[in-house]
Amino acid sequence: MRVLIVGAGPTGLTAAVELARFGVSTEVIDRKKDPSSLSRAVGILPRSLEILTPSGVTERLLAEGIKIREVKIFKQRRKILSLSLRGGHPSTDFGLALAQDRTEAALRDRLLTFGGSVSYGKTLSSLEQDKKQVLARFADGSQAAYDYLIGADGVHSTARDCVGIEYAGFDLPETWSIADVDAADWPNQQALTLCLPGPGQVTVVAPLEATRYRVVSNTADALASLPLALRIVRRHREAQFRISIRQAVNYHSGRVFLAGDAAHCHSPAGGRGMNLGIADAAELAHRMVENRLAGYSASRHAAGARTIAESERLRRLLTSSGRVKRTLTVGAFRLIDTLPLLQRPLARRFLDA
Ligand SMILES: Cc1cc2nc3c(=O)[nH]c(=O)nc-3n(C[C@H](O)[C@H](O)[C@H](O)COP(=O)(O)OP(=O)(O)OC[C@H]3O[C@@H](n4cnc5c(N)ncnc54)[C@H](O)[C@@H]3O)c2cc1C
């Protein structure tokens, strides 16, 4: 079987590793000149750890990542909920924090041990297909034929555009911001810290490494919006970004299959995007090996729609500026803080169990 995987992000690399595990070698290309050192996703959920266990990738992720066993929620400077993630998933009572570039490195290194590799600096520019094959054309003027093409080429997917699949949805009007910093004496090193600094605002701090933190906010300046003291030693990057909530209406056209951000995107609320892409990639690889590709689009579209709806519920809840909704939300968090019985269902939602 000749398979081209376009995109060496977490989705494309997972597809390549899973296919390699079953003896299917692939060609993986990425238009970037080198592996990215920029990280977007931090949170790896238990389901992704399960998916990546048979290939051996999880072992390395666990060795490098930080186990998050608690979510702390603050209204301005006051803590209103300490949520234990214990019991939130049948086998794993933590989420793993690891910078996305290190997750990608673990996948890429595993692919190498299976005899695979990534061709960096190679760009898909167009494709044509008939019943028997897909002809891919590259920006360097070369072309090659494949049995299948996996479009794991992110939000601005060339593969999706070439087969004319609509990416339906909308763009959020506000600007979000992100900062990666080294900081000393942060008391919540092994927790996800979620702050509600003011009406309609949310700012999250997640550990990346022993003394490095990611701060994300739906405001234009993540660090300025943080109501808690963070003693910054070094600023690695600060950036702003916009968010779209979109889903491909179909994940499949002929011999071309979409996975990951090429098929869906949503806000970082809940930290689901990369995890959803990993699950798409694994299911696609297994269906390819077992010759069951017909059900892929329906199955993963439904999973994507569920995740987008859940992420949107959480984003709307946390960013609501309505006084009544916000008072009720804060009240509910305070109540959950005092009643441990209510913690487990919320922990399940955080761990996506
Ligand atoms: C601030 C932020 C925080 C986030 N936090 C989380 C989190 O905590 N947890 C989580 O699960 N998700 C999170 N996400 C989402 C997550 O980063 C994405 O869902 C994930 O990167 C998608 O992976 P992917 O492999 O599908 O696409 P990408 O990572 O976008 O990879 C696509 C690759 O395709 C390549 N490419 C594109 N076009 C071509 C072409 N024509 N030819 C060849 N190569 C091409 C690109 O160079 C790129 O390397 C976050 C996102 C943001 C913005």
Side-chain angles (χ1 to χ4, degrees):
M1 193 171 7
R2 298 161 304 167
V3 181
L4 174 66
I5 298 177
V6 185
T11 304
L13 289 169
T14 299
V17 165
E18 284 302 293
L19 284 165
R21 203 162 65 77
F22 290 97
V24 179
S25 61
T26 54
E27 190 178 335
V28 186
I29 64 163
D30 199 295
R31 71 173 164 205
K32 285 188 304 231
K33 292 262 175 300
D34 304 295
S36 174
S37 60
L38 279 182
S39 168
R40 287 180 288 159
V42 178
I44 306 174
L45 295 169
R47 179 70 193 121
S48 298
L49 295 174
E50 284 171 356
I51 287 171
L52 297 172
T53 294
S55 62
V57 173
T58 291
E59 204 179 325
R60 172 154 158 199
L61 300 180
L62 289 174
E64 294 189 13
I66 295 175
K67 290 180 180 146
I68 303 287
R69 299 183 190 276
E70 193 181 12
V71 178
K72 296 183 182 181
I73 303 185
F74 291 79
K75 180 173 184 264
Q76 283 133 12
R77 300 176 69 86
R78 184 174 307 158
K79 188 161 75 191
I80 54 174
L81 171 60
S82 286
L83 175 72
S84 164
L85 295 180
R86 195 183 305 272
H89 185 269
S91 63
T92 312
D93 55 4
F94 58 85
L96 198 69
L98 186 66
Q100 183 171 326
D101 55 321
R102 295 181 67 186
T103 301
E104 289 174 9
L107 286 161
R108 204 169 40 245
D109 289 350
R110 197 69 192 117
L111 182 61
L112 289 181
T113 66
F114 282 126
S117 64
V118 178
S119 300
Y120 284 100
K122 188 158 181 171
T123 303
L124 174 77
S125 45
S126 66
L127 67 88
E128 265 169 42
Q129 58 174 331
D130 58 26
K131 287 206 168 109
K132 291 196 177 140
Q133 62 176 24
V134 188
L135 182 69
R137 294 201 181 83
F138 304 104
D140 61 7
S142 63
Q143 61 180 47
Y146 302 89
D147 295 306
Y148 298 111
L149 184 148
I150 297 178
D153 47 348
V155 169
H156 305 288
S157 168
T158 305
R160 189 186 64 230
D161 287 350
C162 287
V163 294
I165 294 177
E166 187 191 349
Y167 202 38
F170 58 96
D171 306 319
L172 293 181
E174 72 263 27
T175 298
W176 288 52
S177 56
I178 185 170
D180 287 354
V181 297
D182 287 340
D185 311 327
W186 177 247
N188 310 313
Q189 207 266 343
Q190 302 216 323
L192 184 74
T193 304
L194 209 151
C195 302
L196 305 173
Q201 297 178 336
V202 61
T203 303
V204 177
V205 184
L208 285 173
E209 292 171 21
T211 55
R212 187 165 299 181
Y213 300 91
R214 157 74 46 82
V215 189
V216 180
S217 171
N218 71 334
T219 66
D221 186 340
L223 293 175
S225 72
L226 185 66
L228 307 173
L230 181 67
R231 197 151 69 77
I232 296 171
V233 175
R234 188 174 162 202
R235 293 171 188 238
H236 288 275
R237 79 159 159 156
E238 287 176 80
Q240 294 183 330
F241 63 100
R242 302 296 289 268
I243 287 175
S244 302
I245 319 292
R246 292 183 178 274
Q247 187 175 26
V249 294
N250 191 353
Y251 286 19
H252 159 223
S253 168
R255 296 182 162 270
V256 176
F257 294 83
L258 302 178
D261 278 15
H264 43 72
C265 61
H266 52 79
S267 86
R272 296 287 192 269
M274 178 179 73
N275 291 279
L276 191 57
I278 287 172
D280 290 344
E283 181 168 335
L284 178 56
H286 300 166
R287 283 177 175 274
M288 217 168 246
V289 169
E290 293 157 9
N291 204 11
R292 296 188 292 117
L293 282 166
Y296 169 74
S297 181
S299 164
R300 292 316 301 169
H301 189 280
R306 273 195 305 274
T307 298
I308 291 171
E310 177 71 13
S311 163
E312 274 297 275
R313 263 194 298 276
L314 184 61
R315 181 187 66 80
R316 291 203 176 108
L317 182 78
L318 296 176
T319 62
S320 164
S321 52
R323 185 191 282 247
V324 174
K325 193 167 176 190
R326 203 152 173 95
T327 307
L328 288 174
T329 303
V330 168
F333 286 149
R334 285 199 168 115
L335 184 67
I336 294 169
D337 191 53
T338 56
L339 292 175
L341 261 183
L342 295 179
Q343 296 217 351
R344 191 170 286 197
L346 191 58
R348 278 204 205 103
R349 292 180 82 166
F350 266 98
L351 293 182
D352 199 22

